[in-house]
Amino acid sequence: MGGPAAKTTTINATGVSLPYEVRVNPHLEVSYEQCESWAHGMGMLRASGSLSGGIWKPDRFRRIAVPELAAKIAPDAYEADLILICQALVWIFAYDDYFTSVYKKPRDRQGGWEYARRLCTFIDPDPELPVPEPRDAVERGLADLWPRLARGRSFYWRREFSSAIHGFITGAALELENICDDRVPDLIDFIGLRRQTFAGGTGACFAAMSTGAEIPEVLRDTEVVASLLDAFIDVMALGNEAVSYDMEINDEGEINNLLLVLRDISRGGLGQAHRIATDLIADRVAHFDHLAEVRLPRLAAEIDLSPADVEQMRVWIGGAQSYLSGLYDWYDSTPRYQGNFHG
């Protein structure tokens, strides 16, 4: 059910080759102003010349290149949906950077858990439920974003997105546990944790927003789709490990990084860990393609999947492939990770 192979994009930062085309949403220019204006309105940006308040200085915020990321992972999204995706990504980066600064760096285990549990109350599959009064830019951003993001979406979409954000929020607190204990996680623990802390499940939802196609209901609880989503999330998340290594380890004092995990397992250097990571990601790409091109069509034939559902699944897979190619292209181009470890 996968789309036809397009140009191969080799990403220097990760060393991984993805056989999917990189495309850019035509509404990119419109999203620039909307993205920064929203971040400013939520209190995420510091006023010019200020040394306090906000999460980022405006120039540091622009270095993340969120509009470019959104336009690459959702090349087919309508303008309004692209802006929402862009704002959601801004919020994801805001929580990640805020939690790192306020709780991870000072190793505030109790404060981190209290904050994470409170923040989870700001997002529920039912966007009409009341939420606490926001106390900071991260809470304000989620309270403002979620009702607009959820409007008109299916219950399945709302459930999956809110579950992914809950995992993302609490995953940061679990990483904080490892930091406080000076514990590099083992590989199996790390993979499960990274699926959470990358907000991996949001990728499937963004692919649906971009394409207008959801995974058909009859397939959602199958082993094949579960494996497909795991592989999709792993390719998304694990590619970040090498490009973010220097920022996380040297600037943020992070300890939850795949290269550190693989270095401990292999008892080799970072170069060897990087090569293993590249092989691991390539294997997950191959597994995703096998599931999309072999296992899903076989399952569709076995259960006599309707032509409409076959088409929905095909379109969604195309959106997932565009998501991955766009994400990896952004990894290689964003100034956020300039100067990081490349092998």
Side-chain angles (χ1 to χ4, degrees):
M1 290 185 184
K7 70 175 183 179
T8 297
T9 303
T10 301
I11 307 305
N12 295 332
T14 62
V16 175
S17 179
L18 297 182
Y20 319 128
E21 183 181 11
V22 177
R23 295 182 294 122
V24 179
N25 193 292
H27 303 296
L28 169 60
E29 293 301 323
V30 178
S31 69
Y32 276 111
E33 182 178 348
Q34 295 284 342
C35 184
E36 185 161 341
S37 175
W38 183 77
H40 185 271
M42 295 299 104
M44 297 173 182
L45 304 184
R46 295 178 189 171
S48 179
S50 174
L51 298 178
S52 61
I55 297 171
W56 305 290
K57 295 178 180 178
D59 61 336
R60 184 180 178 95
F61 169 72
R62 294 178 194 125
R63 282 175 58 84
I64 304 175
V66 182
E68 288 89 342
L69 173 58
K72 289 175 179 178
I73 67 171
D76 299 308
Y78 290 118
E79 180 181 313
D81 281 337
L82 179 66
I83 291 170
L84 282 171
I85 291 170
C86 190
Q87 292 172 349
L89 292 169
V90 169
W91 183 86
I92 286 171
F93 283 113
Y95 173 67
D96 187 35
D97 286 356
Y98 178 82
F99 194 91
T100 295
S101 174
V102 176
Y103 299 108
K104 284 185 175 180
K105 285 187 174 180
R107 298 193 172 203
D108 183 1
R109 191 195 315 249
Q110 180 177 344
W113 273 111
E114 289 174 354
Y115 186 74
R117 292 184 181 113
R118 173 182 162 85
L119 191 58
C120 283
T121 65
F122 282 80
I123 181 168
D124 184 272
D126 181 359
E128 301 300 322
L129 290 179
V131 299
E133 185 67 25
R135 300 185 302 194
D136 57 45
V138 173
E139 293 182 353
R140 191 178 305 114
L142 189 55
D144 175 81
L145 175 68
W146 178 233
R148 294 185 295 111
L149 194 60
R151 188 175 302 127
R153 313 290 172 197
S154 69
F155 176 78
Y156 170 72
W157 189 98
R158 300 196 311 268
R159 184 191 71 190
E160 294 302 297
F161 194 92
S162 60
S163 175
I165 294 298
H166 276 234
F168 172 60
I169 291 170
T170 57
L174 291 170
E175 286 187 331
L176 176 57
E177 291 280 358
N178 289 334
I179 292 170
C180 291
D181 294 340
D182 292 316
R183 174 185 176 266
V184 176
D186 65 72
L187 182 60
I188 294 174
D189 180 34
F190 175 82
I191 295 296
L193 183 59
R194 179 56 77 233
R195 289 172 182 169
Q196 283 187 241
T197 58
F198 201 78
T202 62
C205 296
F206 290 147
M209 287 180 70
S210 180
T211 62
E214 288 189 353
I215 297 172
E217 184 175 2
V218 68
L219 294 175
R220 290 171 189 168
D221 294 329
T222 64
E223 181 273 333
V224 174
V225 165
S227 294
L228 183 82
L229 290 173
D230 282 348
F232 174 53
I233 293 170
D234 289 344
V235 177
M236 287 166 49
L238 299 184
N240 180 259
E241 299 304 291
V243 297
S244 66
Y245 178 87
D246 187 60
M247 183 183 77
E248 290 185 353
I249 305 304
N250 296 324
D251 296 342
E252 299 176 353
E254 183 60 79
I255 205 169
N256 302 278
N257 185 280
L258 180 62
L259 298 190
L260 291 184
V261 173
L262 294 176
R263 185 196 64 184
D264 285 358
I265 291 174
S266 66
R267 292 185 170 84
L270 286 176
Q272 182 176 351
H274 184 265
R275 289 188 290 273
I276 297 170
T278 299
D279 290 343
L280 179 61
I281 297 166
D283 285 347
R284 297 307 280 161
V285 173
H287 188 55
F288 177 87
D289 288 343
H290 175 73
L291 290 163
E293 296 167 9
V294 178
R295 295 281 303 280
L296 265 175
R298 185 185 301 155
L299 176 61
E302 289 173 358
I303 66 175
D304 195 21
L305 193 66
S306 73
D309 282 346
V310 169
E311 179 63 10
Q312 282 281 301
M313 195 70 224
R314 184 194 70 79
V315 172
W316 182 88
I317 288 172
Q321 291 171 338
S322 292
Y323 187 107
L324 293 176
S325 64
L327 176 64
Y328 272 59
D329 191 72
W330 175 83
Y331 281 152
D332 200 39
S333 62
T334 175
R336 178 176 173 88
Y337 301 124
Q338 281 184 358
N340 288 305
F341 174 77
H342 295 296

